[in-house]
Amino acid sequence: AKLGHIPEAVQLLDARLREVPKDAVALSERGSIAFQLGELESAADFLKRSLAVRPHDRPTLYSYFQTLTSLK
């Protein structure tokens, strides 16, 4: 997401997740945005929830790895 569109993307993704809490794609995207914003703990939570639904999704696994590495 481009920086100018992040607030809108967050709003749309959060609305989607209220409707479908286990939407792996929305969770992964929301985690990626949280990471971009420096919200590492929130990013880790969204990405972990995405992986609970789709455990073998490589891009999400990589994002989760990056997030956990950044938390240390």
Side-chain angles (χ1 to χ4, degrees):
K2 293 182 179 174
L3 247 45
H5 299 289
I6 285 180
E8 183 182 352
V10 166
Q11 205 171 22
L12 291 171
L13 289 166
D14 287 349
R16 172 67 179 167
L17 291 169
R18 280 191 294 278
E19 293 174 22
V20 186
K22 292 186 178 182
D23 182 327
V25 174
L27 287 165
S28 183
E29 287 298 318
R30 188 62 181 85
S32 294
I33 291 173
F35 182 85
Q36 289 177 39
L37 295 174
E39 301 167 355
L40 300 180
E41 289 171 8
S42 180
D45 180 61
F46 283 116
L47 295 167
K48 183 177 181 180
R49 288 168 50 201
S50 177
L51 289 168
V53 180
R54 290 177 44 184
H56 302 293
D57 183 64
R58 286 185 176 196
T60 303
L61 281 167
Y62 182 70
S63 293
Y64 188 53
F65 168 77
Q66 282 186 305
T67 302
L68 292 180
T69 302
S70 297
L71 275 170
K72 293 183 178 183

